[in-house]
Structures are given as structure tokens and as C-alpha cells.
Amino acid sequence: MDQDKQTSGNKTQILTVDVDKIGDFIFHEPEKTFLGDWDINLAKDSQDAKNLLQAVKQLQTSSRPVAFPTETVYGLGADATRSDAVAGIYAAKQRPADNPLIVHISSLGQLRRLLAPTAGSQDGSSDAGTQGEIPAIYDPLISRFWPGPLTILLPLPNPSPLAPAVTGSLSSFGVRMPSSRLALALIYLAGRPLAAPSANASTKPSPTTAAHVLHDLAGRIDLIIDGGPCTVGIESTVVDGLTRPPAILRPGGVSIDMIRQCPGWEHVAIGYSNSHSAQMGAPRAPGMKYKHYSPKARVILVHGQLSFGLVAKYRPARGKIGLASTMKWRVEDLEMPQQTIIQDHNAPRNSGTNDLL
């Protein structure tokens, strides 16, 4: 069901889209995957397809961004080639201007056209022109992790079809291909690469449901596409293969151990710090300079067995305490009455999030 929420005179609409009801994905030779050329035949009588096209029209004609689900977190998307549209992202999130954005693409062909636009195609959307080269260092990562939660840094083409605010004055830009079919369909139908940070107020925890987005951005944006909860629940890993040795600039959905299994990445370095300083220069990737995943509540990291006594020790006199666990730890392992546990079904499926009364 579609929903509206109005704040300070501005209305935010939630449009439900079931990707299985929008139409048929058609894959072409030779790859027959999203990495290659593909198309989509929209179902003419599908309300889900109509909702998706409404979001596409807004991306193409408006400077107001659209929130949409990916496999990692919900993103706040805008046409990465239009400065007014990209400015809408920064305004809605109240994001620092020097914090770069990640570009999302729907195929390798779209990325190559973005890297080598012709004089008549400055938006990276045309099929014409010489295709740009992706540095070979990324081949094993793309083969294994794309589409998926991995962002790679690439040299900014000259001239660049991207809006200057996307890169934050850097000579490189981050790009990824999401594995969410809904996200891919949105990008493909929009006909433009989408700049898309997480769809939350700047520094706050990233949203994994449409309700999370509405909580932070109601009244600041017009549209939220509700495609259900995200399956990964944390943001993409950002890697830089333009340096020697290559480096991980932001941890995320692909682990360092997984990356080190790829040829050329066995000795990948850690290029980020667990502390943040607003005094540093322009960050090479999102999450390097400013606070990230910053909840208002006190957070306690527990290494080892979690007991009810430990939970009781830190539980406030009034209110609740939340537990976020790994997949290997089960809340059922706690020796406590089950009536004190509330399962949060809006949390991402692999987060193990629960509230204790």
C-alpha cells in the first residue's frame, strides 16, 4: 500500500514496488548476466511497474532525489550528471559538500560509456563512441563481486560527464553495480548513472527499510520506493586499486579476507582509520572523514559470551536495550524468559537485531 507523510508543508510519498511484478528481465549474449547487455519488458497493467516509472520520471525531470532500496542499504538517488539533481542530495541529507558520492550503474557498458563519453554524449547514456577502459586490477573483483556490495575507485574522465559535486573536487570517483534487481531496473530505466549515498540524515545510522528512510527524511524528499528490507544491511566496501598496494578505504559488505583471495589483492592495505577528523582534507571515499553509523544511544561492544547478567547491568532503569548480533550468535542462547524478547522483523535479515524489555 502506498503511504504519504507530510512535514512542514512537504509531502513524502512511499511507493511500493515488487520487482517480481514489474515485468521480465531479458539478457543478451555473450554474458547473459547484468554485467553484460540486458533489457526489461515492463508489464503494462502492473501497478508496481507504474510506481517504478513514476520514480524514474522524477529522477529524469526533478532536482528532488528519490530513495530506493539496494542490497546494502536504502540509497538516496539522483542523476549523477546534473548538478541541480546532485545538489538535492546534499540538501536533503544536510551532507558536507566535500564528502564524495558513489555512482551506481546498471551494466559494464554504461560504465565504459561513462568513462569515455563522446562529444555528443556527455551524460554517459549513449551507446555511441569509444568505450572506456576499466583498469585491469579490478577484473578479478568485478568478476567475483559484481553486481554486489563493492565500490571501486576510477580515474575521473576528462571531460567528465559527472556533476562536479559528485566527486568533491577529487580526480577519481567511486562506482558500483548493485545486485538488487529493483535498483538495477531503476537505473536502467532512468537512462543515467545515479549518485546515491545512504538515504538517511548525515552521520545517522543507514536505513534498511522504507520506514527508516521516512523517519529521517520525511518532508525533505518527495518519493521513497519501498522494495522491502535490504538483505546485506551494511554499506558497500570501498577499494582503491589505483594505488600500490591497493587499499580498502571503507569496510562494508565484502570482507578483507574475501578481497585478499583475488589475484593482485593478496596484500591489500587498510586505508581507513577508526577515528575521524573534520580537519583532514577531502576524503577519498565516503565514511573516511565524518562520523558514520552514529546512533544517539550508548553503544557497547561485547567480545565473547553475552549473558543476561551483562545485559541487566547495562539496561537503563527505564526503557529498553537493543542487541545487534552476528549471524553466529543467537538470542535464543541467552537464558532469559522469552516474553522479554521482541523480534524486530523490520531489521535486515542477517542483523540479529532484537529489543529486550
Side-chain angles (χ1 to χ4, degrees), residues 247-293:
I248 296 177
L249 302 185
R250 184 182 75 182
V254 178
S255 72
I256 185 172
D257 290 335
M258 296 167 67
I259 292 173
R260 283 178 172 165
Q261 294 174 11
C262 296
W265 293 82
E266 296 89 347
H267 304 292
V268 63
I270 301 297
Y272 59 89
S273 170
N274 287 329
S275 62
H276 297 81
S277 172
Q279 304 304 315
M280 72 179 293
R284 292 155 65 198
M288 296 187 71
K289 181 175 181 179
Y290 300 99
K291 288 197 303 182
H292 210 48
Y293 278 124

Side-chain angles (χ1 to χ4, degrees), residues 57-74:
K57 183 178 180 181
Q58 169 132 343
L59 288 169
Q60 293 173 332
T61 61
S62 172
S63 60
R64 301 268 285 180
V66 172
F68 65 98
T70 74
E71 76 282 10
T72 55
V73 299
Y74 269 68

